[in-house]
Amino acid sequence: MMVVRIRVDADLPQPQVGYSSPAQSGIVDDLGLTVAEYSLFGSVLTIGAMIGAIVSGQIADYIGRRGTMGFSEIFCLAGWLAIAFSKGAWWLDLGRLLVGCGMGLLSYVAKIGRKKECEAALQHLRGQNADITLEATEIREYTETLQQLSEARILDLFQWKYAHSLIVGVGLMVLQQFGGVNGIAFYASAIFITAGFSGSVGTIAMVIVQIPMTALGVILMDKSGRRPLLLVSAAGTCLGCLLVGLSFFVQDLQTTPILALVGVLVYTGSFSLGMGGIPWVIMSEIFPINMKGSAGSLVTLVSWLGSWIVSYAFNFLMDWSSTGTFFTFSSICGLTVLFIAKLVPETKGRTLEEIQASLNPFSAKK
């Protein structure tokens, strides 16, 4: 039996997450929502995603990948219908929650008992003339070893030997979210309008920057390594938030709308380059194979919880101080640079044993 589980990054690039940005003014005007009501609508998606992510592994184990994807599509369709025909805040929230559940279900898919299909896919990926025997054997041996190990519980993670791995995995997710990514993604249009720039033009520019930067990050990740790309990415998000904060600080000057646009684009491009995806890659590489499932569940929950806190609080923070909000985000992104430099190991080209030895040298010596 082949068991392959793939973690799906649920961050900035997903259209379900960011559509609330350009639609904000229309929804608020049509339904007369308060700041609190719209903040709940924008952030309740992450609550649904947490629920979906928690049960996705079990559902995929029972009904397989296709069945789980089918459930996901049903939830998303029901959610979009509820939003499209909503006449009040409650239907909006319910629809957004259902869409979040659908997204969460795709966080963790298992493909079971498909050895021949796995080999056929691998042959197609490597080329018809490539010899995949060794690679297919390694995958089979890995999954068989994984099945023989007892599945660890989340509480098992809280042992001293996993302390460094846990700090790195959870810490990257906390810093990723509290750096403001989903606040900016959810409410980008409002940010541009507040700064005196066109919301639609700014949002389109974000997408134009995001796509090539994400592709560049994928290419560079295995060339430059994880840590250097993360450091550059985190430094770029720090600079981007600083520029947006400065644009609000000197809002009387005519250059501030352009400064806000440049800041958001620098942030978006930098985040897409590394901070969006690399923390998930590192998380999958720093835990022993029998701990990956529990660690993945915990880290996913932490990520969605952080996303909810930021996306719900963002409008209130902007009402308090637009300048202070982005200076705070910039400070957190600066802290992320220090965190990566001091604690995050380079995992490129290293075996699991080598990574574990660098994270916990005391137990490795024993």
Side-chain angles (χ1 to χ4, degrees), residues 7-11 14 16-17 41-59 72 75-76 93-108 177 182 186 280 296-308 311:
R7 179 69 58 185
V8 180
D9 182 17
D11 281 300
Q14 297 191 20
Q16 295 98 326
V17 170
F41 165 69
S43 63
V44 76
L45 175 140
T46 59
I47 298 176
M50 281 189 279
I51 297 171
I54 289 171
V55 301
S56 62
Q58 291 86 344
I59 292 177
S72 173
F75 274 104
C76 289
D93 295 340
L94 176 62
R96 184 84 161 165
L97 181 71
L98 291 174
V99 172
C101 287
M103 289 174 55
L105 285 174
L106 293 181
S107 293
Y108 208 49
Q177 294 301 330
N182 280 321
F186 283 20
W280 294 98
S297 298
L298 176 63
V299 167
T300 300
L301 185 63
V302 168
S303 178
W304 282 117
L305 180 60
S307 175
W308 175 76
S311 57

Side-chain angles (χ1 to χ4, degrees), residues 72-140:
S72 173
E73 291 176 358
I74 292 172
F75 274 104
C76 289
L77 179 59
W80 284 113
L81 289 174
I83 292 171
F85 294 102
S86 63
K87 298 298 181 181
W90 281 106
W91 281 104
L92 275 179
D93 295 340
L94 176 62
R96 184 84 161 165
L97 181 71
L98 291 174
V99 172
C101 287
M103 289 174 55
L105 285 174
L106 293 181
S107 293
Y108 208 49
V109 296
K111 189 175 183 180
I112 303 176
R114 306 291 293 275
K115 177 181 176 181
K116 292 183 179 180
E117 289 86 342
C118 177
E119 292 178 353
L122 189 61
Q123 187 73 69
H124 179 75
L125 178 66
R126 302 303 183 206
Q128 295 302 318
N129 297 324
D131 184 4
I132 63 165
T133 305
L134 179 59
E135 191 171 3
T137 300
E138 289 177 349
I139 294 174
R140 184 177 66 253

Side-chain angles (χ1 to χ4, degrees), residues 152-204:
R153 300 171 301 170
I154 287 182
L155 290 178
D156 294 333
L157 287 168
F158 297 93
Q159 302 178 46
W160 180 251
K161 61 183 177 180
Y162 302 128
H164 194 168
S165 298
L166 197 61
I167 290 171
V168 171
V170 173
L172 281 176
M173 293 303 167
V174 170
L175 292 169
Q176 179 196 62
Q177 294 301 330
F178 282 87
V181 56
N182 280 321
I184 294 172
F186 283 20
Y187 309 113
S189 181
I191 294 170
F192 289 127
I193 292 173
T194 303
F197 198 82
S198 169
S200 58
V201 172
T203 304
I204 293 171

